[in-house]
Amino acid sequence: MQSIFRGKHFINLEDFTKEEVDTMLEVSFDLKKNFAMGVATPYLQNQTMFLMFFEQSTRTRNSMEAGIAQLGGHANFLDSSNMQVAHGETPKDTAIILSRFGHAIAARYCNWGIGNQYLNEMAKWSTAPVMNLQCDLYHPFQALADLMTMKEKIGDLKRVKVSIIWAYAESHKKPISVPVSQILLFPRYGMDVVLAHPKGWELPGWVIEQAKANAERFGGSVKVTHNEEEAYEGAHIVIPKNWGSWVNDQTGATTVGASKVIDDRLLAQKSWKCTEAKMATADKDVMYMHALPADRNNEVEDSVIDGPHSIVYDEAENRLHTAKAVMTLLMGGR
Ligand code: CP
């Protein structure tokens, strides 16, 4: 077990060894057990964390706020539109000041080509850990919660077929950060990962290369296909989820917004929906996962997300336990 985490930044799970990710999981399970038993875990007493959001959130914001309260600390929620960031204050100045006031800074900033750079710039100047609540490239808290959920349900993940499948959605243009973090992480646990999407929704080449390198090193595999049927066939876990077209919209695009985004290119892919018929071709005990929020009846039929194969609420709950583990290790550990 790796035990030295204090002060590290949490921007991308690739920055942590597998042993360190294992420790995060062990601490998550321990915190979950104590939470279930009503045992107090005041590991971060009197610590303050700043949560900066440039975009909307339900799970991420509340898992962090509830999580630090349960650890004995306190969170300040910061809507970036009400901060001097909105008047152009730099990430350097923001990070230096906030880290002098408290014990950690976390931010969600998903604008393509900007978010990850912003977080790294804050990390360069902050004297406290900086945590990524989702950027244009990575969503490490989500991927960690997904991994915890899979471990909880299956145990050893070696040779488990997990299919990350693009799905049609109209609600808003979603970042690529969830599938990117998943395809990088899952092969490190020996899983057979299939990434399926229509042409035009590719993940960046360097992501696929890194994912394949992880598979090579840890005994998993990575396959990319445009064939949705192949992804469902015999899968133990399916994760059908929309992401915006990085290929077509990378120039100056905002990948997250409140308004619907529908065009002819997208409409042509409406058949990429998770249905009961497709689920029937997977393993008989297949599990359906989704980071949520789901665009119901576009990404997935209600009967699937509300059906016996769905584990989305367990997955969402694990956002709390993994968030508490990461905060404990980075802010309170040694
Ligand atoms: N999965 C996830 O990050 O949810 P929120 O956007 O609600 O935080």
Side-chain angles (χ1 to χ4, degrees), residues 139-176:
H139 196 351
F141 279 109
Q142 184 63 52
L144 188 63
D146 293 345
L147 184 65
M148 179 185 185
T149 311
M150 292 171 174
K151 282 251 175 216
E152 200 167 50
K153 303 286 180 192
I154 296 177
D156 185 1
L157 297 174
K158 279 201 175 67
R159 310 270 51 132
V160 165
K161 177 176 175 179
V162 56
S163 296
I164 301 166
I165 307 169
W166 185 88
Y168 176 84
E170 299 178 349
S171 54
H172 64 277
K173 207 170 279 183
K174 303 182 187 192
I176 61 171

PDB file of all heavy atoms in Angstrom, residues 139-176:
ATOM      1  N   HIS A 139     -11.880  13.397 -15.875  1.00  0.00           N
ATOM      2  CA  HIS A 139     -12.825  13.451 -14.748  1.00  0.00           C
ATOM      3  C   HIS A 139     -12.392  12.347 -13.768  1.00  0.00           C
ATOM      4  O   HIS A 139     -13.026  11.293 -13.665  1.00  0.00           O
ATOM      5  CB  HIS A 139     -14.251  13.217 -15.252  1.00  0.00           C
ATOM      6  CG  HIS A 139     -15.326  13.622 -14.284  1.00  0.00           C
ATOM      7  ND1 HIS A 139     -15.077  13.991 -12.978  1.00  0.00           N
ATOM      8  CD2 HIS A 139     -16.680  13.708 -14.437  1.00  0.00           C
ATOM      9  CE1 HIS A 139     -16.224  14.298 -12.381  1.00  0.00           C
ATOM     10  NE2 HIS A 139     -17.209  14.131 -13.237  1.00  0.00           N
ATOM     11  N   PRO A 140     -11.276  12.580 -13.054  1.00  0.00           N
ATOM     12  CA  PRO A 140     -10.700  11.497 -12.248  1.00  0.00           C
ATOM     13  C   PRO A 140     -11.610  11.000 -11.121  1.00  0.00           C
ATOM     14  O   PRO A 140     -11.588   9.815 -10.799  1.00  0.00           O
ATOM     15  CB  PRO A 140      -9.405  12.115 -11.698  1.00  0.00           C
ATOM     16  CG  PRO A 140      -9.597  13.588 -11.781  1.00  0.00           C
ATOM     17  CD  PRO A 140     -10.481  13.823 -12.962  1.00  0.00           C
ATOM     18  N   PHE A 141     -12.387  11.894 -10.514  1.00  0.00           N
ATOM     19  CA  PHE A 141     -13.284  11.435  -9.437  1.00  0.00           C
ATOM     20  C   PHE A 141     -14.327  10.461  -9.991  1.00  0.00           C
ATOM     21  O   PHE A 141     -14.692   9.486  -9.336  1.00  0.00           O
ATOM     22  CB  PHE A 141     -13.991  12.631  -8.784  1.00  0.00           C
ATOM     23  CG  PHE A 141     -13.140  13.347  -7.760  1.00  0.00           C
ATOM     24  CD1 PHE A 141     -12.630  14.615  -8.014  1.00  0.00           C
ATOM     25  CD2 PHE A 141     -12.870  12.765  -6.528  1.00  0.00           C
ATOM     26  CE1 PHE A 141     -11.856  15.273  -7.070  1.00  0.00           C
ATOM     27  CE2 PHE A 141     -12.099  13.412  -5.572  1.00  0.00           C
ATOM     28  CZ  PHE A 141     -11.586  14.677  -5.844  1.00  0.00           C
ATOM     29  N   GLN A 142     -14.819  10.721 -11.200  1.00  0.00           N
ATOM     30  CA  GLN A 142     -15.819   9.829 -11.786  1.00  0.00           C
ATOM     31  C   GLN A 142     -15.207   8.460 -12.092  1.00  0.00           C
ATOM     32  O   GLN A 142     -15.780   7.418 -11.766  1.00  0.00           O
ATOM     33  CB  GLN A 142     -16.387  10.447 -13.072  1.00  0.00           C
ATOM     34  CG  GLN A 142     -17.508   9.613 -13.693  1.00  0.00           C
ATOM     35  CD  GLN A 142     -18.712   9.510 -12.785  1.00  0.00           C
ATOM     36  OE1 GLN A 142     -19.221  10.513 -12.313  1.00  0.00           O
ATOM     37  NE2 GLN A 142     -19.169   8.291 -12.507  1.00  0.00           N
ATOM     38  N   ALA A 143     -14.033   8.468 -12.716  1.00  0.00           N
ATOM     39  CA  ALA A 143     -13.406   7.192 -13.089  1.00  0.00           C
ATOM     40  C   ALA A 143     -13.076   6.362 -11.848  1.00  0.00           C
ATOM     41  O   ALA A 143     -13.225   5.134 -11.853  1.00  0.00           O
ATOM     42  CB  ALA A 143     -12.145   7.458 -13.914  1.00  0.00           C
ATOM     43  N   LEU A 144     -12.657   7.043 -10.773  1.00  0.00           N
ATOM     44  CA  LEU A 144     -12.331   6.315  -9.540  1.00  0.00           C
ATOM     45  C   LEU A 144     -13.594   5.690  -8.933  1.00  0.00           C
ATOM     46  O   LEU A 144     -13.575   4.538  -8.479  1.00  0.00           O
ATOM     47  CB  LEU A 144     -11.659   7.278  -8.546  1.00  0.00           C
ATOM     48  CG  LEU A 144     -11.078   6.662  -7.287  1.00  0.00           C
ATOM     49  CD1 LEU A 144      -9.946   5.684  -7.611  1.00  0.00           C
ATOM     50  CD2 LEU A 144     -10.568   7.748  -6.334  1.00  0.00           C
ATOM     51  N   ALA A 145     -14.690   6.441  -8.943  1.00  0.00           N
ATOM     52  CA  ALA A 145     -15.960   5.902  -8.420  1.00  0.00           C
ATOM     53  C   ALA A 145     -16.441   4.738  -9.285  1.00  0.00           C
ATOM     54  O   ALA A 145     -16.983   3.746  -8.783  1.00  0.00           O
ATOM     55  CB  ALA A 145     -17.014   7.007  -8.372  1.00  0.00           C
ATOM     56  N   ASP A 146     -16.236   4.834 -10.599  1.00  0.00           N
ATOM     57  CA  ASP A 146     -16.620   3.744 -11.496  1.00  0.00           C
ATOM     58  C   ASP A 146     -15.814   2.487 -11.177  1.00  0.00           C
ATOM     59  O   ASP A 146     -16.354   1.382 -11.110  1.00  0.00           O
ATOM     60  CB  ASP A 146     -16.384   4.148 -12.961  1.00  0.00           C
ATOM     61  CG  ASP A 146     -17.317   5.260 -13.411  1.00  0.00           C
ATOM     62  OD1 ASP A 146     -18.319   5.523 -12.721  1.00  0.00           O
ATOM     63  OD2 ASP A 146     -17.029   5.884 -14.457  1.00  0.00           O
ATOM     64  N   LEU A 147     -14.517   2.688 -10.974  1.00  0.00           N
ATOM     65  CA  LEU A 147     -13.652   1.548 -10.660  1.00  0.00           C
ATOM     66  C   LEU A 147     -14.061   0.911  -9.334  1.00  0.00           C
ATOM     67  O   LEU A 147     -14.132  -0.326  -9.216  1.00  0.00           O
ATOM     68  CB  LEU A 147     -12.193   2.029 -10.599  1.00  0.00           C
ATOM     69  CG  LEU A 147     -11.140   0.967 -10.370  1.00  0.00           C
ATOM     70  CD1 LEU A 147     -11.063  -0.010 -11.535  1.00  0.00           C
ATOM     71  CD2 LEU A 147      -9.763   1.612 -10.155  1.00  0.00           C
ATOM     72  N   MET A 148     -14.349   1.734  -8.343  1.00  0.00           N
ATOM     73  CA  MET A 148     -14.787   1.209  -7.046  1.00  0.00           C
ATOM     74  C   MET A 148     -16.056   0.378  -7.207  1.00  0.00           C
ATOM     75  O   MET A 148     -16.189  -0.712  -6.640  1.00  0.00           O
ATOM     76  CB  MET A 148     -15.043   2.371  -6.070  1.00  0.00           C
ATOM     77  CG  MET A 148     -15.522   1.907  -4.712  1.00  0.00           C
ATOM     78  SD  MET A 148     -15.944   3.283  -3.634  1.00  0.00           S
ATOM     79  CE  MET A 148     -16.295   2.403  -2.109  1.00  0.00           C
ATOM     80  N   THR A 149     -16.992   0.886  -8.019  1.00  0.00           N
ATOM     81  CA  THR A 149     -18.272   0.196  -8.210  1.00  0.00           C
ATOM     82  C   THR A 149     -18.050  -1.161  -8.882  1.00  0.00           C
ATOM     83  O   THR A 149     -18.638  -2.173  -8.493  1.00  0.00           O
ATOM     84  CB  THR A 149     -19.206   1.080  -9.061  1.00  0.00           C
ATOM     85  OG1 THR A 149     -19.213   2.397  -8.503  1.00  0.00           O
ATOM     86  CG2 THR A 149     -20.619   0.540  -9.077  1.00  0.00           C
ATOM     87  N   MET A 150     -17.173  -1.183  -9.875  1.00  0.00           N
ATOM     88  CA  MET A 150     -16.888  -2.452 -10.566  1.00  0.00           C
ATOM     89  C   MET A 150     -16.238  -3.454  -9.618  1.00  0.00           C
ATOM     90  O   MET A 150     -16.566  -4.633  -9.618  1.00  0.00           O
ATOM     91  CB  MET A 150     -15.936  -2.189 -11.732  1.00  0.00           C
ATOM     92  CG  MET A 150     -16.545  -1.377 -12.843  1.00  0.00           C
ATOM     93  SD  MET A 150     -15.205  -0.928 -13.986  1.00  0.00           S
ATOM     94  CE  MET A 150     -16.151  -0.171 -15.280  1.00  0.00           C
ATOM     95  N   LYS A 151     -15.299  -2.978  -8.809  1.00  0.00           N
ATOM     96  CA  LYS A 151     -14.619  -3.854  -7.841  1.00  0.00           C
ATOM     97  C   LYS A 151     -15.627  -4.423  -6.851  1.00  0.00           C
ATOM     98  O   LYS A 151     -15.569  -5.602  -6.475  1.00  0.00           O
ATOM     99  CB  LYS A 151     -13.568  -3.063  -7.060  1.00  0.00           C
ATOM    100  CG  LYS A 151     -12.312  -2.824  -7.831  1.00  0.00           C
ATOM    101  CD  LYS A 151     -11.217  -3.672  -7.218  1.00  0.00           C
ATOM    102  CE  LYS A 151      -9.941  -3.619  -7.947  1.00  0.00           C
ATOM    103  NZ  LYS A 151      -9.236  -4.903  -7.939  1.00  0.00           N
ATOM    104  N   GLU A 152     -16.526  -3.556  -6.417  1.00  0.00           N
ATOM    105  CA  GLU A 152     -17.546  -3.949  -5.446  1.00  0.00           C
ATOM    106  C   GLU A 152     -18.456  -5.041  -6.014  1.00  0.00           C
ATOM    107  O   GLU A 152     -18.829  -5.979  -5.323  1.00  0.00           O
ATOM    108  CB  GLU A 152     -18.359  -2.685  -5.179  1.00  0.00           C
ATOM    109  CG  GLU A 152     -19.158  -2.623  -3.937  1.00  0.00           C
ATOM    110  CD  GLU A 152     -19.616  -1.170  -3.739  1.00  0.00           C
ATOM    111  OE1 GLU A 152     -20.157  -0.545  -4.683  1.00  0.00           O
ATOM    112  OE2 GLU A 152     -19.431  -0.675  -2.641  1.00  0.00           O
ATOM    113  N   LYS A 153     -18.792  -4.900  -7.295  1.00  0.00           N
ATOM    114  CA  LYS A 153     -19.765  -5.829  -7.905  1.00  0.00           C
ATOM    115  C   LYS A 153     -19.097  -7.103  -8.398  1.00  0.00           C
ATOM    116  O   LYS A 153     -19.711  -8.158  -8.407  1.00  0.00           O
ATOM    117  CB  LYS A 153     -20.458  -5.163  -9.102  1.00  0.00           C
ATOM    118  CG  LYS A 153     -21.176  -3.856  -8.792  1.00  0.00           C
ATOM    119  CD  LYS A 153     -22.452  -4.097  -8.043  1.00  0.00           C
ATOM    120  CE  LYS A 153     -23.160  -2.788  -7.726  1.00  0.00           C
ATOM    121  NZ  LYS A 153     -24.247  -2.949  -6.755  1.00  0.00           N
ATOM    122  N   ILE A 154     -17.835  -6.993  -8.880  1.00  0.00           N
ATOM    123  CA  ILE A 154     -17.220  -8.119  -9.579  1.00  0.00           C
ATOM    124  C   ILE A 154     -16.000  -8.670  -8.851  1.00  0.00           C
ATOM    125  O   ILE A 154     -15.742  -9.861  -8.885  1.00  0.00           O
ATOM    126  CB  ILE A 154     -16.840  -7.693 -11.025  1.00  0.00           C
ATOM    127  CG1 ILE A 154     -18.113  -7.355 -11.815  1.00  0.00           C
ATOM    128  CG2 ILE A 154     -16.051  -8.796 -11.742  1.00  0.00           C
ATOM    129  CD1 ILE A 154     -17.867  -6.852 -13.222  1.00  0.00           C
ATOM    130  N   GLY A 155     -15.253  -7.813  -8.186  1.00  0.00           N
ATOM    131  CA  GLY A 155     -13.999  -8.255  -7.549  1.00  0.00           C
ATOM    132  C   GLY A 155     -12.847  -8.102  -8.517  1.00  0.00           C
ATOM    133  O   GLY A 155     -12.595  -6.999  -9.006  1.00  0.00           O
ATOM    134  N   ASP A 156     -12.186  -9.212  -8.836  1.00  0.00           N
ATOM    135  CA  ASP A 156     -11.050  -9.160  -9.758  1.00  0.00           C
ATOM    136  C   ASP A 156     -11.562  -8.775 -11.155  1.00  0.00           C
ATOM    137  O   ASP A 156     -12.447  -9.441 -11.705  1.00  0.00           O
ATOM    138  CB  ASP A 156     -10.370 -10.536  -9.786  1.00  0.00           C
ATOM    139  CG  ASP A 156      -9.106 -10.525 -10.640  1.00  0.00           C
ATOM    140  OD1 ASP A 156      -8.752  -9.448 -11.188  1.00  0.00           O
ATOM    141  OD2 ASP A 156      -8.481 -11.591 -10.768  1.00  0.00           O
ATOM    142  N   LEU A 157     -10.998  -7.727 -11.711  1.00  0.00           N
ATOM    143  CA  LEU A 157     -11.512  -7.205 -12.984  1.00  0.00           C
ATOM    144  C   LEU A 157     -10.752  -7.713 -14.202  1.00  0.00           C
ATOM    145  O   LEU A 157     -11.064  -7.331 -15.329  1.00  0.00           O
ATOM    146  CB  LEU A 157     -11.479  -5.665 -12.947  1.00  0.00           C
ATOM    147  CG  LEU A 157     -12.383  -5.046 -11.867  1.00  0.00           C
ATOM    148  CD1 LEU A 157     -12.185  -3.544 -11.791  1.00  0.00           C
ATOM    149  CD2 LEU A 157     -13.848  -5.365 -12.126  1.00  0.00           C
ATOM    150  N   LYS A 158      -9.767  -8.583 -13.965  1.00  0.00           N
ATOM    151  CA  LYS A 158      -8.970  -9.100 -15.101  1.00  0.00           C
ATOM    152  C   LYS A 158      -9.876  -9.808 -16.100  1.00  0.00           C
ATOM    153  O   LYS A 158     -10.678 -10.652 -15.734  1.00  0.00           O
ATOM    154  CB  LYS A 158      -7.905 -10.078 -14.593  1.00  0.00           C
ATOM    155  CG  LYS A 158      -6.689  -9.373 -14.055  1.00  0.00           C
ATOM    156  CD  LYS A 158      -5.469 -10.296 -14.050  1.00  0.00           C
ATOM    157  CE  LYS A 158      -4.244  -9.539 -13.617  1.00  0.00           C
ATOM    158  NZ  LYS A 158      -4.269  -9.103 -12.234  1.00  0.00           N
ATOM    159  N   ARG A 159      -9.727  -9.416 -17.398  1.00  0.00           N
ATOM    160  CA  ARG A 159     -10.437 -10.029 -18.532  1.00  0.00           C
ATOM    161  C   ARG A 159     -11.939  -9.771 -18.512  1.00  0.00           C
ATOM    162  O   ARG A 159     -12.695 -10.413 -19.220  1.00  0.00           O
ATOM    163  CB  ARG A 159     -10.162 -11.541 -18.612  1.00  0.00           C
ATOM    164  CG  ARG A 159      -8.718 -11.887 -18.560  1.00  0.00           C
ATOM    165  CD  ARG A 159      -7.967 -11.972 -19.848  1.00  0.00           C
ATOM    166  NE  ARG A 159      -7.999 -10.906 -20.820  1.00  0.00           N
ATOM    167  CZ  ARG A 159      -6.912 -10.396 -21.399  1.00  0.00           C
ATOM    168  NH1 ARG A 159      -5.720 -10.807 -21.039  1.00  0.00           N
ATOM    169  NH2 ARG A 159      -7.005  -9.502 -22.332  1.00  0.00           N
ATOM    170  N   VAL A 160     -12.351  -8.826 -17.691  1.00  0.00           N
ATOM    171  CA  VAL A 160     -13.758  -8.396 -17.729  1.00  0.00           C
ATOM    172  C   VAL A 160     -13.926  -7.498 -18.946  1.00  0.00           C
ATOM    173  O   VAL A 160     -13.125  -6.580 -19.169  1.00  0.00           O
ATOM    174  CB  VAL A 160     -14.118  -7.648 -16.419  1.00  0.00           C
ATOM    175  CG1 VAL A 160     -15.426  -6.880 -16.557  1.00  0.00           C
ATOM    176  CG2 VAL A 160     -14.202  -8.645 -15.264  1.00  0.00           C
ATOM    177  N   LYS A 161     -14.967  -7.755 -19.749  1.00  0.00           N
ATOM    178  CA  LYS A 161     -15.194  -6.931 -20.950  1.00  0.00           C
ATOM    179  C   LYS A 161     -16.054  -5.729 -20.575  1.00  0.00           C
ATOM    180  O   LYS A 161     -17.220  -5.874 -20.210  1.00  0.00           O
ATOM    181  CB  LYS A 161     -15.876  -7.742 -22.064  1.00  0.00           C
ATOM    182  CG  LYS A 161     -16.198  -6.884 -23.300  1.00  0.00           C
ATOM    183  CD  LYS A 161     -16.779  -7.680 -24.467  1.00  0.00           C
ATOM    184  CE  LYS A 161     -17.196  -6.750 -25.624  1.00  0.00           C
ATOM    185  NZ  LYS A 161     -17.737  -7.476 -26.781  1.00  0.00           N
ATOM    186  N   VAL A 162     -15.461  -4.547 -20.687  1.00  0.00           N
ATOM    187  CA  VAL A 162     -16.203  -3.314 -20.423  1.00  0.00           C
ATOM    188  C   VAL A 162     -16.256  -2.504 -21.715  1.00  0.00           C
ATOM    189  O   VAL A 162     -15.222  -2.261 -22.341  1.00  0.00           O
ATOM    190  CB  VAL A 162     -15.588  -2.499 -19.261  1.00  0.00           C
ATOM    191  CG1 VAL A 162     -14.134  -2.172 -19.498  1.00  0.00           C
ATOM    192  CG2 VAL A 162     -16.372  -1.213 -19.006  1.00  0.00           C
ATOM    193  N   SER A 163     -17.458  -2.126 -22.111  1.00  0.00           N
ATOM    194  CA  SER A 163     -17.616  -1.387 -23.367  1.00  0.00           C
ATOM    195  C   SER A 163     -18.059   0.041 -23.098  1.00  0.00           C
ATOM    196  O   SER A 163     -19.095   0.274 -22.481  1.00  0.00           O
ATOM    197  CB  SER A 163     -18.627  -2.099 -24.269  1.00  0.00           C
ATOM    198  OG  SER A 163     -18.112  -3.367 -24.628  1.00  0.00           O
ATOM    199  N   ILE A 164     -17.221   0.960 -23.532  1.00  0.00           N
ATOM    200  CA  ILE A 164     -17.515   2.397 -23.434  1.00  0.00           C
ATOM    201  C   ILE A 164     -18.110   2.768 -24.789  1.00  0.00           C
ATOM    202  O   ILE A 164     -17.417   2.711 -25.813  1.00  0.00           O
ATOM    203  CB  ILE A 164     -16.219   3.185 -23.146  1.00  0.00           C
ATOM    204  CG1 ILE A 164     -15.572   2.710 -21.838  1.00  0.00           C
ATOM    205  CG2 ILE A 164     -16.494   4.687 -23.123  1.00  0.00           C
ATOM    206  CD1 ILE A 164     -14.126   3.187 -21.663  1.00  0.00           C
ATOM    207  N   ILE A 165     -19.391   3.101 -24.796  1.00  0.00           N
ATOM    208  CA  ILE A 165     -20.123   3.221 -26.061  1.00  0.00           C
ATOM    209  C   ILE A 165     -20.706   4.629 -26.188  1.00  0.00           C
ATOM    210  O   ILE A 165     -21.423   5.090 -25.286  1.00  0.00           O
ATOM    211  CB  ILE A 165     -21.266   2.169 -26.114  1.00  0.00           C
ATOM    212  CG1 ILE A 165     -20.710   0.766 -25.834  1.00  0.00           C
ATOM    213  CG2 ILE A 165     -21.988   2.225 -27.462  1.00  0.00           C
ATOM    214  CD1 ILE A 165     -21.778  -0.297 -25.603  1.00  0.00           C
ATOM    215  N   TRP A 166     -20.410   5.287 -27.277  1.00  0.00           N
ATOM    216  CA  TRP A 166     -20.991   6.611 -27.520  1.00  0.00           C
ATOM    217  C   TRP A 166     -22.512   6.469 -27.623  1.00  0.00           C
ATOM    218  O   TRP A 166     -23.011   5.465 -28.151  1.00  0.00           O
ATOM    219  CB  TRP A 166     -20.438   7.197 -28.823  1.00  0.00           C
ATOM    220  CG  TRP A 166     -20.902   8.603 -29.093  1.00  0.00           C
ATOM    221  CD1 TRP A 166     -20.312   9.753 -28.672  1.00  0.00           C
ATOM    222  CD2 TRP A 166     -22.046   9.005 -29.850  1.00  0.00           C
ATOM    223  NE1 TRP A 166     -21.014  10.844 -29.107  1.00  0.00           N
ATOM    224  CE2 TRP A 166     -22.092  10.406 -29.837  1.00  0.00           C
ATOM    225  CE3 TRP A 166     -23.062   8.309 -30.534  1.00  0.00           C
ATOM    226  CZ2 TRP A 166     -23.091  11.149 -30.482  1.00  0.00           C
ATOM    227  CZ3 TRP A 166     -24.057   9.036 -31.170  1.00  0.00           C
ATOM    228  CH2 TRP A 166     -24.062  10.434 -31.138  1.00  0.00           C
ATOM    229  N   ALA A 167     -23.246   7.426 -27.107  1.00  0.00           N
ATOM    230  CA  ALA A 167     -24.714   7.385 -27.201  1.00  0.00           C
ATOM    231  C   ALA A 167     -25.238   8.749 -27.627  1.00  0.00           C
ATOM    232  O   ALA A 167     -24.655   9.788 -27.297  1.00  0.00           O
ATOM    233  CB  ALA A 167     -25.313   6.976 -25.863  1.00  0.00           C
ATOM    234  N   TYR A 168     -26.345   8.711 -28.338  1.00  0.00           N
ATOM    235  CA  TYR A 168     -26.992   9.926 -28.831  1.00  0.00           C
ATOM    236  C   TYR A 168     -27.587  10.720 -27.661  1.00  0.00           C
ATOM    237  O   TYR A 168     -28.224  10.148 -26.773  1.00  0.00           O
ATOM    238  CB  TYR A 168     -28.097   9.537 -29.817  1.00  0.00           C
ATOM    239  CG  TYR A 168     -28.906  10.710 -30.318  1.00  0.00           C
ATOM    240  CD1 TYR A 168     -28.453  11.473 -31.392  1.00  0.00           C
ATOM    241  CD2 TYR A 168     -30.118  11.036 -29.712  1.00  0.00           C
ATOM    242  CE1 TYR A 168     -29.194  12.549 -31.840  1.00  0.00           C
ATOM    243  CE2 TYR A 168     -30.864  12.122 -30.164  1.00  0.00           C
ATOM    244  CZ  TYR A 168     -30.396  12.868 -31.230  1.00  0.00           C
ATOM    245  OH  TYR A 168     -31.134  13.941 -31.667  1.00  0.00           O
ATOM    246  N   ALA A 169     -27.398  12.024 -27.653  1.00  0.00           N
ATOM    247  CA  ALA A 169     -28.023  12.878 -26.629  1.00  0.00           C
ATOM    248  C   ALA A 169     -28.262  14.259 -27.198  1.00  0.00           C
ATOM    249  O   ALA A 169     -27.544  14.706 -28.103  1.00  0.00           O
ATOM    250  CB  ALA A 169     -27.131  12.967 -25.397  1.00  0.00           C
ATOM    251  N   GLU A 170     -29.274  14.904 -26.677  1.00  0.00           N
ATOM    252  CA  GLU A 170     -29.613  16.254 -27.139  1.00  0.00           C
ATOM    253  C   GLU A 170     -29.445  17.290 -26.037  1.00  0.00           C
ATOM    254  O   GLU A 170     -29.499  18.483 -26.291  1.00  0.00           O
ATOM    255  CB  GLU A 170     -31.082  16.277 -27.603  1.00  0.00           C
ATOM    256  CG  GLU A 170     -31.366  15.327 -28.751  1.00  0.00           C
ATOM    257  CD  GLU A 170     -32.835  15.337 -29.172  1.00  0.00           C
ATOM    258  OE1 GLU A 170     -33.662  15.920 -28.440  1.00  0.00           O
ATOM    259  OE2 GLU A 170     -33.137  14.764 -30.230  1.00  0.00           O
ATOM    260  N   SER A 171     -29.283  16.819 -24.777  1.00  0.00           N
ATOM    261  CA  SER A 171     -29.384  17.738 -23.638  1.00  0.00           C
ATOM    262  C   SER A 171     -28.317  18.828 -23.652  1.00  0.00           C
ATOM    263  O   SER A 171     -28.625  19.988 -23.482  1.00  0.00           O
ATOM    264  CB  SER A 171     -29.320  16.955 -22.334  1.00  0.00           C
ATOM    265  OG  SER A 171     -28.175  16.138 -22.304  1.00  0.00           O
ATOM    266  N   HIS A 172     -27.085  18.468 -23.839  1.00  0.00           N
ATOM    267  CA  HIS A 172     -26.029  19.456 -23.993  1.00  0.00           C
ATOM    268  C   HIS A 172     -24.791  18.751 -24.516  1.00  0.00           C
ATOM    269  O   HIS A 172     -24.704  17.529 -24.480  1.00  0.00           O
ATOM    270  CB  HIS A 172     -25.716  20.196 -22.684  1.00  0.00           C
ATOM    271  CG  HIS A 172     -25.168  19.334 -21.587  1.00  0.00           C
ATOM    272  ND1 HIS A 172     -25.940  18.590 -20.747  1.00  0.00           N
ATOM    273  CD2 HIS A 172     -23.898  19.097 -21.205  1.00  0.00           C
ATOM    274  CE1 HIS A 172     -25.184  17.937 -19.881  1.00  0.00           C
ATOM    275  NE2 HIS A 172     -23.936  18.230 -20.137  1.00  0.00           N
ATOM    276  N   LYS A 173     -23.854  19.525 -24.997  1.00  0.00           N
ATOM    277  CA  LYS A 173     -22.636  18.930 -25.551  1.00  0.00           C
ATOM    278  C   LYS A 173     -21.719  18.556 -24.392  1.00  0.00           C
ATOM    279  O   LYS A 173     -21.241  19.423 -23.669  1.00  0.00           O
ATOM    280  CB  LYS A 173     -21.965  19.941 -26.488  1.00  0.00           C
ATOM    281  CG  LYS A 173     -21.142  19.273 -27.548  1.00  0.00           C
ATOM    282  CD  LYS A 173     -20.691  20.253 -28.604  1.00  0.00           C
ATOM    283  CE  LYS A 173     -21.787  20.528 -29.626  1.00  0.00           C
ATOM    284  NZ  LYS A 173     -21.326  21.423 -30.698  1.00  0.00           N
ATOM    285  N   LYS A 174     -21.503  17.255 -24.221  1.00  0.00           N
ATOM    286  CA  LYS A 174     -20.781  16.802 -23.032  1.00  0.00           C
ATOM    287  C   LYS A 174     -19.278  16.664 -23.328  1.00  0.00           C
ATOM    288  O   LYS A 174     -18.902  16.309 -24.441  1.00  0.00           O
ATOM    289  CB  LYS A 174     -21.351  15.460 -22.574  1.00  0.00           C
ATOM    290  CG  LYS A 174     -22.867  15.541 -22.300  1.00  0.00           C
ATOM    291  CD  LYS A 174     -23.423  14.226 -21.803  1.00  0.00           C
ATOM    292  CE  LYS A 174     -24.938  14.305 -21.715  1.00  0.00           C
ATOM    293  NZ  LYS A 174     -25.550  13.190 -20.995  1.00  0.00           N
ATOM    294  N   PRO A 175     -18.440  16.909 -22.321  1.00  0.00           N
ATOM    295  CA  PRO A 175     -16.991  16.793 -22.535  1.00  0.00           C
ATOM    296  C   PRO A 175     -16.574  15.347 -22.799  1.00  0.00           C
ATOM    297  O   PRO A 175     -17.321  14.421 -22.496  1.00  0.00           O
ATOM    298  CB  PRO A 175     -16.392  17.260 -21.206  1.00  0.00           C
ATOM    299  CG  PRO A 175     -17.507  17.812 -20.414  1.00  0.00           C
ATOM    300  CD  PRO A 175     -18.787  17.289 -20.955  1.00  0.00           C
ATOM    301  N   ILE A 176     -15.366  15.171 -23.301  1.00  0.00           N
ATOM    302  CA  ILE A 176     -14.834  13.827 -23.531  1.00  0.00           C
ATOM    303  C   ILE A 176     -14.174  13.274 -22.263  1.00  0.00           C
ATOM    304  O   ILE A 176     -13.647  12.169 -22.270  1.00  0.00           O
ATOM    305  CB  ILE A 176     -13.819  13.809 -24.707  1.00  0.00           C
ATOM    306  CG1 ILE A 176     -12.616  14.726 -24.422  1.00  0.00           C
ATOM    307  CG2 ILE A 176     -14.476  14.176 -26.023  1.00  0.00           C
ATOM    308  CD1 ILE A 176     -11.486  14.591 -25.444  1.00  0.00           C
TER     309      ILE A 176
END
